[in-house]
Amino acid sequence: NIRCKSDTLKKGSMIPLLFSDRIISFERVYENERLFCIANFDENSVSVSFDTKTVLLYGNAKCDGIGVVLPPKSFALLKENK
């Protein structure tokens, strides 16, 4: 389980970023690590951008470094790439 392996997911502060009928995204911060969790509940792909460079840790999203495109009904976990 990915959550069990990550102190940031277990202990980090949760900061809401975007909540709508079709997208939920939040940031988890612990010590010097930032993780971004995004869920797409829509029937269409969605694009989400961040204020920092990121790298995809989990999911089948397409990541270009500062943004991500999530396929329909999917989830992605990204990490800040300093």
Side-chain angles (χ1 to χ4, degrees), residues 14-19 25-27:
M14 187 172 114
I15 303 162
L17 297 175
L18 175 65
F19 285 85
S25 68
F26 56 91
E27 178 180 350

Side-chain angles (χ1 to χ4, degrees), residues 38-49:
I38 310 142
N40 177 14
F41 300 105
D42 200 63
E43 299 289 336
N44 300 303
S45 295
V46 295
S47 179
V48 178
S49 20

Side-chain angles (χ1 to χ4, degrees), residues 6-18:
S6 171
D7 283 341
T8 303
L9 290 176
K10 289 189 295 187
K11 302 175 185 178
S13 301
M14 187 172 114
I15 303 162
L17 297 175
L18 175 65

